[in-house]
Amino acid sequence: YYFTKYASTSMLDVNFAHETRGKTALIFGSEIDGLTSIRPWLLENEDARNMIAYPMNAPDVFRSYNLSTSASMALWEAYKTLNLARRASHSSSS
C-alpha cells in the first residue's frame, strides 16, 4: 500500500485482512515531499485501490499527520486487522 495525500481510497476503507497476495508492504514517502517524486509512475502502474490517504476532518486547519504518526497508525491497523482475522480463523477451525 502506498500512503499519499493524492489517494482516493481512505484509510477508513482499507481491510488488510482481505489481502490475498500473502505479504503486505506499507510504503511512505519523505516527511516533506511524500510520494510526489514517483506520483506519475504510481498513477500509470499501480491500482488506485493500493493508494491510501488518511481522512482529514479540517484540512484548512490541520494539513496532515507527520510521517512517524502516519506510519505507526498504518502499522497498528494492519497488525490489529490481520491478528483479529487470524484469531477468527483459528476459533472457527477448532
Side-chain angles (χ1 to χ4, degrees), residues 12-51:
L12 297 173
D13 299 323
V14 176
N15 185 348
F16 294 103
H18 287 138
E19 181 63 42
T20 58
R21 291 175 282 183
K23 295 186 179 184
T24 300
L26 307 176
I27 301 170
F28 297 84
S30 71
E31 185 90 47
I32 302 294
D33 298 320
L35 296 174
T36 303
S37 64
I38 65 168
R39 185 174 181 217
W41 180 89
L42 284 173
L43 295 174
E44 190 174 314
N45 297 290
E46 278 296 326
D47 185 334
R49 292 174 295 184
N50 292 333
M51 291 183 252

Side-chain angles (χ1 to χ4, degrees), residues 38-77:
I38 65 168
R39 185 174 181 217
W41 180 89
L42 284 173
L43 295 174
E44 190 174 314
N45 297 290
E46 278 296 326
D47 185 334
R49 292 174 295 184
N50 292 333
M51 291 183 252
I52 310 301
Y54 287 105
M56 294 295 170
N57 292 330
D60 53 326
V61 176
F62 185 67
R63 194 170 56 96
S64 64
Y65 297 105
N66 71 25
L67 181 58
S68 65
T69 301
S70 296
S72 62
M73 289 188 313
L75 185 59
W76 173 251
E77 185 62 28

